[in-house]
Amino acid sequence: MIFFWGNNEYGQCGLGHCTRIVKLPKQLPYIQSVNTVSCGYYHTILTSVCSQGYSLLYGFGRNDVGQLGLGHVNSPIMTPTLIN
């Protein structure tokens, strides 16, 4: 289980919207098992292990110059998106 709060201007909290989270932390509903998280001002990267034992890398937040490594420059990415 992982919780996010903060600015969220670019969806970097991964909650599916760009509304600021200032009162109570919100649980990330999309991924239940998170191993590592790296948070920045504009985006977040996290890893999760799937049921087959593989590590999966996800990114969300600002991606206007491709900084999430998704192969496109669509921005913002408001939910965890698998990075191939």
Side-chain angles (χ1 to χ4, degrees):
M1 220 180 316
I2 187 165
F3 293 84
F4 283 95
W5 62 93
N7 186 17
N8 201 35
E9 181 180 359
Y10 295 98
Q12 61 267 45
C13 290
L15 301 170
H17 57 76
C18 290
T19 303
R20 187 174 293 166
I21 310 297
V22 294
K23 296 215 179 227
L24 296 173
K26 303 289 182 190
Q27 183 180 352
L28 184 68
Y30 308 101
I31 300 171
Q32 298 303 313
S33 175
V34 174
N35 293 22
T36 60
V37 179
S38 180
C39 300
Y41 188 78
Y42 295 114
H43 57 277
T44 302
I45 304 292
L46 60 84
T47 62
S48 177
V49 177
C50 70
S51 60
Q52 291 84 15
Y54 298 107
S55 288
L56 303 173
L57 186 65
Y58 293 90
F60 43 98
R62 192 169 182 178
N63 189 50
D64 57 334
V65 292
Q67 60 265 54
L68 293 179
L70 299 172
H72 59 74
V73 293
N74 299 338
S75 186
I77 304 299
M78 295 183 285
T79 58
T81 302
L82 186 62
I83 301 170
N84 292 323

